[in-house]
């Protein structure tokens, strides 16, 4: 039997894994699988940090970031600040496959999506608008302590039947972010990285911290040097937390803004995960038994 494997961040990643595992079984390539898996989460309005129903920025507009990376040739497609399309991951795919570029933002990315026939739609739901109003009532100034509280990313890593490794991410970023803020998720090396010769990793949590350690690239390079996905996740995250030791306790007053979690897969489909907090769950499925499982990541330092 040819191997395949898929893993995705957070309990809502279960939906991504269900969709992705079916496609992997049908021998679809990693790009198709990751795109479709992430689209399923983006279109679910009950997931309040991704796609439709995502968390609005400070001015009440939903701004989405997403990316895809193909490990075969290190090709990347990424978009940031997308406001009118429910599936930014599909625009990221267009960037990867049809442009000479790797990262497109805002209006330019949206006009490119128009030109390729993608449909615009509203991202705001009545529930996300209500939550935004409540957040704004509690937090009148952008400098308030609770800034950013409330965020998550769907990050997916895949080994396909042909041995290809692919990673993808999609998020609305931090709650009440300043308009124009971009997180780690669309940044190659920070929010995601994939290389067929070493493995793949994705990150979720405070993008401002994750990008300071280029966490996903660090994890993939540790796997290249022989670390298991589990060791690589714990090691890379542990190093960043130690390096930012002074920064992180200061921010602990509003703990949500220090949270980070990572998920990785090696060339054989082995999976590892780590977090600097106790509540990071991920979903996964392997060709061996096709069961979709949820597992809690190990917290570093305990
Ligand atoms: N990493 C995302 C960002 O900073 C948010 C998250 O995954 O929690 O935009």
């Amino acid at each position: 039997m040819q191997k395949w494997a898929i893993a995705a961040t957070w309990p809502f990643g279960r939906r991504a894994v269900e969709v992705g595992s079916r496609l992997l079984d049908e021998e679809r390539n990693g790009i198709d699988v990751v795109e479709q898996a992430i689209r399923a989460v983006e279109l679910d309005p009950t997931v309040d940090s991704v796609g439709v129903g995502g968390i609005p920025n400070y001015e009440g507009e939903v701004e989405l970031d997403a990316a895809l990376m193909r490990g075969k040739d290190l090709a990347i497609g990424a978009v940031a600040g997308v406001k009118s399309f429910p599936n930014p991951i599909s625009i990221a795919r267009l960037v990867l496959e049809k442009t000479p570029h790797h990262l497109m933002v805002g209006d330019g990315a949206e006009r490119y999506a128009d030109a390729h026939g993608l449909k615009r739609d509203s991202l705001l739901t009545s529930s996300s608008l209500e939550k935004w109003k409540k957040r704004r009532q509690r937090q009148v100034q952008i400098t308030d302590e609770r800034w950013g509280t409330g965020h998550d990313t769907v990050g997916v890593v895949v080994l396909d039947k042909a041995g290809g490794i692919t990673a993808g991410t999609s998020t609305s970023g931090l709650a009440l972010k300043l308009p124009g803020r971009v997180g780690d998720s669309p940044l190659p090396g920070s929010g995601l990285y994939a290389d067929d010769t070493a493995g793949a990793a994705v990150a979720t949590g405070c993008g401002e911290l994750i990008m300071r350690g280029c966490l996903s690239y660090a994890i993939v390079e540790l796997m290249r040097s022989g670390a298991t996905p589990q060791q690589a996740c714990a090691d890379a995250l542990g190093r960043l937390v130690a390096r930012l030791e002074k920064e992180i306790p200061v921010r602990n007053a509003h703990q949500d803004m220090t949270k980070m979690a990572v998920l990785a897969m090696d060339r054989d489909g082995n999976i590892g995960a780590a977090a600097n907090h106790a509540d990071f769950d991920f979903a996964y499925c392997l060709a061996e038994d096709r069961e979709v499982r949820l597992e809690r990541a190990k917290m570093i330092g305990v």
Side-chain angles (χ1 to χ4, degrees):
M1 185 184 62
Q2 278 171 299
K3 265 191 180 175
W4 54 255
I6 178 166
T9 54
W10 300 111
F12 57 65
R14 174 182 274 278
R15 182 81 194 109
V17 169
E18 282 165 0
V19 169
S21 54
R22 276 199 297 275
L23 298 175
L24 283 163
D25 217 19
E26 292 165 11
E27 297 192 28
R28 298 274 286 276
N29 68 56
I31 290 284
D32 278 351
V33 172
V34 174
E35 183 196 12
Q36 294 305 324
I38 289 181
R39 279 179 67 96
V41 181
E42 289 175 337
L43 291 174
D44 182 346
T46 67
V47 179
D48 70 1
S49 57
V50 178
V52 178
I55 306 172
N57 66 16
Y58 194 67
E59 291 175 356
E61 263 189 315
V62 182
E63 277 179 295
L64 304 175
D65 300 339
L68 260 179
M69 182 160 182
R70 181 169 63 203
K72 182 176 156 202
D73 53 1
L74 310 183
I76 294 154
V79 290
V82 169
K83 295 180 187 171
S84 325
F85 289 84
N87 294 115
I89 194 68
S90 294
I91 314 179
R93 181 175 184 165
L94 286 174
V95 174
L96 189 154
E97 291 182 335
K98 301 207 183 294
T99 78
H101 310 308
H102 285 353
L103 172 60
M104 291 176 72
V105 304
D107 185 50
E110 298 203 333
R111 282 191 280 128
Y112 194 73
D114 282 333
H116 283 81
L118 269 56
K119 291 277 163 289
R120 289 182 182 248
D121 209 345
S122 166
L123 304 177
L124 211 54
T125 59
S126 50
S127 148
S128 65
L129 186 60
E130 274 317 300
K131 285 189 202 160
W132 176 79
K133 282 184 187 156
K134 288 202 180 105
R135 279 199 169 99
R136 275 297 300 259
Q137 274 162 11
R138 289 198 308 255
Q139 182 185 344
V140 178
Q141 289 183 6
I142 193 74
T143 48
D144 279 3
E145 283 208 337
R146 278 160 302 212
W147 175 79
T149 300
H151 49 86
D152 280 332
T153 297
V154 60
V156 179
V157 287
V158 154
L159 168 72
D160 64 28
K161 276 191 179 172
I165 299 263
T166 310
T169 52
S170 184
T171 184
S172 53
L174 302 182
L176 301 192
K177 64 189 179 184
L178 284 171
R181 177 266 187 192
V182 176
D184 60 300
S185 307
L187 302 184
S190 289
L192 79 170
Y193 202 75
D195 183 343
D196 280 9
T197 65
V202 287
T204 175
C206 178
E208 280 69 9
L209 294 178
I210 293 166
M211 65 174 78
R212 289 161 79 171
C214 293
L215 263 185
S216 296
Y217 183 70
I219 291 167
V220 171
E221 289 309 304
L222 286 169
M223 291 194 289
R224 190 192 303 286
S225 306
T228 64
Q230 185 56 46
Q231 287 164 344
C233 285
D235 203 15
L237 184 59
R239 284 185 206 186
L240 181 61
V241 169
R243 180 67 182 81
L244 299 179
E245 186 192 17
K246 290 201 182 69
E247 182 87 2
I248 288 179
V250 172
R251 289 172 173 233
N252 254 349
H254 35 114
Q255 259 196 7
D256 197 55
M257 286 304 294
T258 68
K259 282 185 176 175
M260 289 180 275
V262 287
L263 175 65
M265 183 179 286
D266 68 13
R267 300 164 59 192
D268 293 321
N270 299 307
I271 295 163
N276 66 344
H277 55 90
D279 54 6
F280 176 55
D281 293 326
F282 61 96
Y284 70 96
C285 183
L286 308 173
E288 284 89 282
D289 63 3
R290 296 177 169 78
E291 274 292 317
V292 179
R293 296 193 165 82
L294 265 190
E295 198 170 304
R296 177 142 294 192
K298 289 201 177 64
M299 185 175 159
I300 55 163
V302 287

